[in-house]
Every structure is written in C-alpha cells, then in structure tokens.
C-alpha cells in the first residue's frame, strides 16, 4: 500500500501522470472518493503519463471514452450515473477490462460486483486542509511491481 499526500490539483495530476508512465497493459485502475476530491484530475494526469494529448473529460453521460494515441489504449469509465450494472456490461465492459489496454474507472465502488479480481485501487480523500488530498494506492489480486516507482 502506498499513501501520498498532495497539496494541489497539479500535484494530484502529477501523481496520476507518474502512474500512467509505469502502468502495464491489461491493468485496471479503480478510483474512489467523494465528489470534488480530484478523481478526474488524477485521470487527466494518468492519461498524460500514457502520452495522450487529447483533452480528457469525464465520460459521465457516455460511460466510457476511448483514447488510442498513447503508448497503450486507454479506456476511461465514469459510472457515477449508472443505475444498473447491465448498462456497463452492454457497452462491452469485459472486453475493455480484459483487453490489451488500460482501464480506469471513476466511482468504481458503484460496480464492485463486476470488477476484476486483479486491480489497482486508488482512494482519494479530502483532509482538514481544503487543498490537500490523501491518496491511497493498493493492489488487489496480484502484486504490481511498477507501483514501487511511485514511492
């Protein structure tokens, strides 16, 4: 488990970027945290780390955005507005998660029942300082050696 504290949006994005530079093909990244904690900013940094230059927006209404111009295909899910897990399955969730790219899921706790056993969980929390975030990164199902580079 890795625990980091960031003191600005830029630092949160930079931590995401660092993870994006070392992430390996087939990895699933699950982001959780309250509204306004910085999940989408983390995702934007993560995409930059993959070498994606597009403007990254949260796919709140489309469920998934695909980006192919980075070093790995990037599938960005936002399941905040999903009312039924079948909605996620209908967009081909399993093909994304078990495919050749990297999947990042915002609000992953809302679809726990269909998450893969092997994943990286990133929990972002506000602290007493309004600009500070506590970011906990934990692997499940297997060890991801590349996470050591975030220490």
């Amino acid at each position: 488990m890795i625990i980091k504290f960031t003191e600005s949006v830029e630092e949160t994005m930079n931590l995401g970027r660092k993870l994006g530079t070392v992430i390996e093909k087939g990895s699933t990244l699950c982001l959780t945290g309250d509204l306004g904690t910085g999940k989408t900013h983390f995702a934007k940094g993560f995409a930059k780390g993959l070498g994606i230059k597009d403007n990254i927006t949260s796919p709140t209404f489309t469920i998934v955005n695909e980006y192919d111009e980075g070093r790995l295909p990037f599938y960005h899910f936002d399941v905040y507005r999903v009312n039924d897990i079948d909605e996620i399955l209908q967009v081909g969730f399993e093909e994304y998660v078990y495919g050749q790219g990297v999947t990042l899921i915002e609000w992953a706790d809302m679809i726990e029942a269909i998450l893969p056993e092997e994943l990286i969980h990133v929990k972002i929390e506000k602290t007493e300082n309004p600009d500070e975030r506590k970011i906990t990164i934990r692997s499940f199902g297997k060890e991801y050696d590349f996470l050591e580079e975030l220490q």
Side-chain angles (χ1 to χ4, degrees), residues 40-107:
T40 301
H41 289 295
F42 188 94
K44 287 179 181 197
F46 182 79
K48 282 188 192 299
L50 285 169
I52 296 168
K53 294 180 179 20
D54 280 354
N55 181 38
I56 303 299
T57 58
S58 191
T60 304
F61 296 100
T62 59
I63 301 177
V64 63
N65 287 339
E66 297 180 40
Y67 302 91
D68 292 317
E69 76 271 15
R71 68 178 181 86
L72 294 168
F74 175 44
Y75 313 119
H76 181 193
F77 283 81
D78 183 328
V79 298
Y80 182 72
R81 298 202 184 279
V82 171
N83 296 313
D84 184 350
I85 287 180
D86 285 341
E87 286 180 66
I88 300 295
L89 296 173
Q90 288 173 5
V91 299
F93 180 76
E94 290 180 342
E95 288 81 15
Y96 289 110
V97 170
Y98 298 107
Q100 297 300 305
V102 176
T103 303
L104 181 146
I105 307 164
E106 293 188 48
W107 299 99

